[in-house]
Coordinates of all heavy atoms in Angstrom, one line a residue:
F1 N -34.7 -69.6 16.5 CA -34.1 -69.6 17.9 C -33.1 -68.4 18.0 O -33.0 -67.8 19.0 CB -33.4 -70.9 18.2 CG -34.3 -71.9 18.9 CD1 -35.1 -72.7 18.1 CD2 -34.3 -72.0 20.2 CE1 -35.9 -73.6 18.7 CE2 -35.2 -72.9 20.8 CZ -36.0 -73.7 20.1
E2 N -32.4 -68.1 16.9 CA -31.4 -67.0 16.8 C -32.2 -65.7 17.0 O -31.7 -64.8 17.6 CB -30.6 -67.1 15.5 CG -29.5 -66.0 15.4 CD -28.4 -66.2 16.5 OE1 -28.3 -67.4 17.0 OE2 -27.7 -65.3 16.8
D3 N -33.3 -65.6 16.3 CA -34.2 -64.4 16.4 C -34.6 -64.1 17.9 O -34.5 -63.0 18.4 CB -35.4 -64.5 15.5 CG -35.1 -64.4 14.1 OD1 -34.1 -63.8 13.7 OD2 -35.8 -65.1 13.3
I4 N -35.0 -65.2 18.5 CA -35.5 -65.1 19.9 C -34.3 -64.8 20.8 O -34.5 -64.0 21.7 CB -36.1 -66.5 20.3 CG1 -37.4 -66.7 19.5 CG2 -36.4 -66.5 21.8 CD1 -38.0 -68.1 19.7
R5 N -33.2 -65.3 20.6 CA -32.0 -65.0 21.4 C -31.7 -63.5 21.3 O -31.4 -62.8 22.3 CB -30.8 -65.8 20.9 CG -29.5 -65.6 21.8 CD -28.3 -66.3 21.2 NE -28.0 -65.7 19.9 CZ -27.3 -64.6 19.8 NH1 -26.9 -63.9 20.8 NH2 -26.9 -64.1 18.6
R6 N -31.8 -62.9 20.1 CA -31.5 -61.5 19.9 C -32.5 -60.6 20.6 O -32.2 -59.6 21.1 CB -31.4 -61.2 18.4 CG -30.1 -61.7 17.7 CD -30.2 -61.7 16.2 NE -28.9 -62.1 15.7 CZ -28.7 -62.5 14.4 NH1 -29.8 -62.6 13.6 NH2 -27.6 -62.9 14.0
I7 N -33.8 -61.1 20.5 CA -34.8 -60.3 21.2 C -34.6 -60.3 22.7 O -34.8 -59.2 23.3 CB -36.2 -60.9 20.8 CG1 -36.5 -60.8 19.3 CG2 -37.3 -60.1 21.6 CD1 -36.4 -59.5 18.7
R8 N -34.2 -61.4 23.2 CA -33.9 -61.5 24.7 C -32.7 -60.6 25.0 O -32.6 -59.9 26.1 CB -33.6 -62.9 25.1 CG -34.8 -63.8 25.2 CD -34.5 -65.2 25.4 NE -35.7 -66.0 25.6 CZ -35.7 -67.3 25.6 NH1 -34.6 -68.0 25.3 NH2 -36.8 -68.0 25.7
E9 N -31.7 -60.5 24.1 CA -30.6 -59.6 24.3 C -31.0 -58.1 24.3 O -30.6 -57.3 25.1 CB -29.5 -59.8 23.2 CG -28.7 -61.1 23.4 CD -27.7 -61.3 22.3 OE1 -27.8 -60.6 21.3 OE2 -26.9 -62.2 22.4
A10 N -32.0 -57.8 23.4 CA -32.6 -56.5 23.4 C -33.2 -56.1 24.7 O -33.0 -55.0 25.2 CB -33.6 -56.4 22.2
H11 N -34.0 -57.1 25.2 CA -34.7 -56.9 26.5 C -33.7 -56.6 27.6 O -33.9 -55.7 28.4 CB -35.4 -58.2 26.8 CG -36.2 -58.2 28.1 ND1 -35.7 -58.5 29.3 CD2 -37.5 -57.8 28.3 CE1 -36.6 -58.4 30.2 NE2 -37.7 -58.0 29.7
S12 N -32.6 -57.4 27.7 CA -31.5 -57.2 28.7 C -30.8 -55.8 28.5 O -30.6 -55.1 29.5 CB -30.5 -58.3 28.6 OG -29.5 -58.1 29.5
I13 N -30.5 -55.4 27.3 CA -29.8 -54.1 27.1 C -30.7 -53.0 27.5 O -30.3 -52.0 28.1 CB -29.4 -54.0 25.6 CG1 -28.3 -55.0 25.3 CG2 -29.0 -52.6 25.2 CD1 -27.9 -55.1 23.8
I14 N -32.0 -53.1 27.2 CA -32.9 -52.0 27.5 C -33.0 -51.8 29.1 O -32.9 -50.7 29.6 CB -34.4 -52.3 27.0 CG1 -34.4 -52.1 25.5 CG2 -35.4 -51.3 27.6 CD1 -35.7 -52.6 24.8
I15 N -33.1 -52.9 29.8 CA -33.2 -52.8 31.2 C -32.0 -52.3 31.9 O -32.0 -51.5 32.8 CB -33.5 -54.3 31.8 CG1 -35.0 -54.7 31.5 CG2 -33.3 -54.3 33.3 CD1 -35.3 -56.1 31.9
N16 N -30.8 -52.5 31.3 CA -29.6 -52.1 31.8 C -29.1 -50.7 31.4 O -28.1 -50.2 31.8 CB -28.5 -53.1 31.5 CG -28.6 -54.4 32.3 OD1 -28.5 -54.3 33.5 ND2 -28.8 -55.5 31.6
N17 N -29.9 -50.1 30.5 CA -29.6 -48.7 30.0 C -30.7 -47.8 30.0 O -30.9 -47.0 29.1 CB -29.0 -48.9 28.6 CG -27.7 -49.6 28.5 OD1 -26.7 -49.0 28.7 ND2 -27.8 -50.9 28.2
L18 N -31.6 -47.9 31.1 CA -32.8 -47.0 31.2 C -32.4 -45.5 31.2 O -33.2 -44.7 30.8 CB -33.6 -47.4 32.4 CG -34.2 -48.8 32.4 CD1 -34.9 -49.0 33.8 CD2 -35.2 -49.0 31.3
E19 N -31.2 -45.2 31.7 CA -30.9 -43.8 31.9 C -30.3 -43.2 30.6 O -30.2 -41.9 30.5 CB -29.8 -43.6 33.0 CG -28.4 -44.0 32.6 CD -28.2 -45.6 32.6 OE1 -29.2 -46.3 32.8 OE2 -27.0 -46.0 32.4
K20 N -30.1 -44.0 29.6 CA -29.5 -43.5 28.3 C -30.5 -43.0 27.3 O -31.7 -43.4 27.4 CB -28.7 -44.6 27.7 CG -27.6 -45.2 28.5 CD -26.5 -44.3 28.7 CE -25.3 -45.0 29.5 NZ -24.2 -44.0 29.7
D21 N -30.1 -42.1 26.4 CA -30.9 -41.7 25.3 C -31.0 -42.9 24.4 O -29.9 -43.3 23.8 CB -30.3 -40.5 24.6 CG -30.5 -39.2 25.4 OD1 -31.5 -39.2 26.2 OD2 -29.7 -38.3 25.2
F22 N -32.1 -43.4 24.2 CA -32.2 -44.7 23.4 C -32.1 -44.4 21.9 O -32.7 -43.4 21.4 CB -33.6 -45.4 23.7 CG -33.6 -46.8 23.4 CD1 -32.9 -47.7 24.3 CD2 -34.2 -47.4 22.3 CE1 -32.8 -49.0 24.1 CE2 -34.2 -48.7 22.1 CZ -33.5 -49.6 23.0
P23 N -31.3 -45.2 21.2 CA -31.2 -45.0 19.7 C -32.4 -45.4 19.0 O -33.4 -45.9 19.5 CB -30.0 -46.0 19.4 CG -30.1 -47.1 20.4 CD -30.6 -46.4 21.7
S24 N -32.4 -45.1 17.7 CA -33.6 -45.4 16.9 C -33.7 -46.9 16.8 O -32.7 -47.6 17.0 CB -33.4 -44.8 15.5 OG -32.3 -45.4 14.8
L25 N -34.8 -47.4 16.5 CA -35.0 -48.9 16.4 C -34.1 -49.5 15.3 O -33.7 -50.6 15.4 CB -36.5 -49.2 16.1 CG -37.5 -49.0 17.3 CD1 -38.9 -49.4 16.9 CD2 -37.0 -49.8 18.5
K26 N -33.9 -48.7 14.2 CA -33.1 -49.2 13.1 C -31.6 -49.4 13.6 O -31.0 -50.5 13.3 CB -33.1 -48.2 12.0 CG -32.4 -48.7 10.7 CD -32.5 -47.7 9.6 CE -31.7 -48.2 8.3 NZ -31.9 -47.2 7.2
K27 N -31.1 -48.4 14.3 CA -29.7 -48.6 14.8 C -29.6 -49.7 15.9 O -28.7 -50.4 15.9 CB -29.3 -47.2 15.5 CG -28.9 -46.2 14.5 CD -28.4 -44.9 15.1 CE -28.0 -43.9 14.1 NZ -27.5 -42.6 14.8
F28 N -30.6 -49.8 16.7 CA -30.7 -50.8 17.8 C -30.7 -52.2 17.1 O -30.0 -53.1 17.6 CB -31.8 -50.6 18.7 CG -31.8 -51.4 19.9 CD1 -30.7 -51.7 20.6 CD2 -33.0 -51.9 20.4 CE1 -30.7 -52.5 21.8 CE2 -33.0 -52.7 21.6 CZ -31.8 -53.0 22.2
A29 N -31.5 -52.3 16.1 CA -31.6 -53.6 15.4 C -30.3 -54.0 14.8 O -29.9 -55.2 14.8 CB -32.8 -53.5 14.4
L30 N -29.6 -53.0 14.2 CA -28.3 -53.3 13.6 C -27.3 -53.8 14.6 O -26.5 -54.7 14.3 CB -27.8 -52.0 12.9 CG -28.5 -51.7 11.5 CD1 -28.0 -50.3 11.0 CD2 -28.2 -52.8 10.5
Q31 N -27.3 -53.2 15.8 CA -26.4 -53.6 16.9 C -26.7 -55.1 17.2 O -25.8 -55.8 17.5 CB -26.6 -52.7 18.1 CG -25.8 -53.2 19.3 CD -25.9 -52.4 20.5 OE1 -26.1 -51.2 20.4 NE2 -25.9 -53.0 21.7
L32 N -28.0 -55.5 17.2 CA -28.3 -56.8 17.6 C -28.1 -57.8 16.5 O -28.2 -59.0 16.7 CB -29.8 -56.9 18.0 CG -30.2 -56.0 19.3 CD1 -31.7 -55.9 19.3 CD2 -29.7 -56.7 20.5
G33 N -27.9 -57.3 15.3 CA -27.7 -58.2 14.1 C -28.9 -58.7 13.5 O -29.0 -59.7 12.9
T34 N -30.0 -57.8 13.6 CA -31.3 -58.2 12.9 C -31.8 -56.9 12.2 O -31.1 -56.0 12.1 CB -32.3 -58.7 14.0 OG1 -33.5 -59.1 13.3 CG2 -32.6 -57.7 15.0
N35 N -33.0 -57.0 11.8 CA -33.6 -55.8 11.2 C -34.7 -55.2 12.0 O -35.2 -55.8 12.9 CB -34.1 -56.1 9.7 CG -35.2 -57.2 9.7 OD1 -36.2 -57.1 10.4 ND2 -34.9 -58.3 9.0
E36 N -35.2 -54.0 11.7 CA -36.1 -53.3 12.5 C -37.5 -54.0 12.5 O -38.1 -54.1 13.6 CB -36.4 -51.9 11.9 CG -37.3 -51.0 12.7 CD -37.5 -49.6 12.1 OE1 -36.7 -49.3 11.2 OE2 -38.3 -48.9 12.6
F37 N -37.9 -54.6 11.4 CA -39.2 -55.3 11.4 C -39.2 -56.5 12.4 O -40.1 -56.7 13.2 CB -39.5 -55.8 10.0 CG -40.8 -56.6 9.9 CD1 -42.0 -55.9 10.0 CD2 -40.7 -58.0 9.8 CE1 -43.2 -56.7 9.9 CE2 -41.9 -58.7 9.7 CZ -43.1 -58.0 9.8
K38 N -38.1 -57.3 12.3 CA -38.0 -58.5 13.2 C -37.9 -58.1 14.7 O -38.5 -58.7 15.5 CB -36.8 -59.4 12.8 CG -37.1 -60.3 11.7 CD -36.0 -61.4 11.6 CE -36.4 -62.4 10.5 NZ -35.3 -63.4 10.4
L39 N -37.2 -57.0 14.9 CA -37.1 -56.5 16.3 C -38.5 -56.1 16.8 O -38.9 -56.5 17.9 CB -36.1 -55.3 16.4 CG -36.1 -54.6 17.7 CD1 -35.6 -55.5 18.8 CD2 -35.1 -53.4 17.6
K40 N -39.2 -55.3 16.1 CA -40.5 -54.8 16.5 C -41.5 -56.0 16.7 O -42.2 -56.1 17.7 CB -41.1 -53.8 15.5 CG -40.3 -52.5 15.5 CD -40.5 -51.7 14.3 CE -41.9 -51.1 14.2 NZ -42.1 -50.2 13.1
Y41 N -41.5 -56.9 15.6 CA -42.5 -58.0 15.7 C -42.1 -59.0 16.8 O -43.0 -59.4 17.5 CB -42.5 -58.7 14.3 CG -43.3 -59.9 14.2 CD1 -44.7 -59.8 14.0 CD2 -42.8 -61.2 14.5 CE1 -45.5 -60.9 13.9 CE2 -43.6 -62.3 14.5 CZ -45.0 -62.2 14.2 OH -45.8 -63.3 14.2
G42 N -40.8 -59.4 16.8 CA -40.4 -60.3 17.8 C -40.6 -59.9 19.2 O -41.0 -60.6 20.1
F43 N -40.3 -58.6 19.5 CA -40.5 -58.1 20.9 C -41.9 -58.1 21.3 O -42.2 -58.5 22.4 CB -39.9 -56.6 20.9 CG -39.5 -56.2 22.3 CD1 -38.2 -56.3 22.7 CD2 -40.4 -55.7 23.2 CE1 -37.8 -55.9 24.0 CE2 -40.1 -55.3 24.5 CZ -38.8 -55.4 24.9

């Protein structure tokens, strides 16, 4: 459930920052408190 919550947060952050230069998936995953593999797979 914690993984799913973080993926939903990722979804919300992306939608609210479309105009920004998006960071690498590794940096984005660290911000969410997960790893790149779980972010990619879970999304």
Side-chain angles (χ1 to χ4, degrees):
F1 271 85
E2 186 64 20
D3 292 330
I4 294 172
R5 183 187 66 79
R6 285 169 177 159
I7 300 302
R8 285 174 176 164
E9 285 177 350
H11 181 272
S12 176
I13 290 173
I14 290 171
I15 288 176
N16 287 300
N17 293 276
L18 296 176
E19 76 284 4
K20 303 290 184 181
D21 287 334
F22 204 71
S24 67
L25 287 182
K26 185 176 181 180
K27 286 185 178 179
F28 190 39
L30 285 174
Q31 175 181 326
L32 295 165
T34 185
N35 58 58
E36 185 178 350
F37 177 75
K38 276 193 176 181
L39 172 61
K40 291 163 68 175
Y41 177 85
F43 203 93

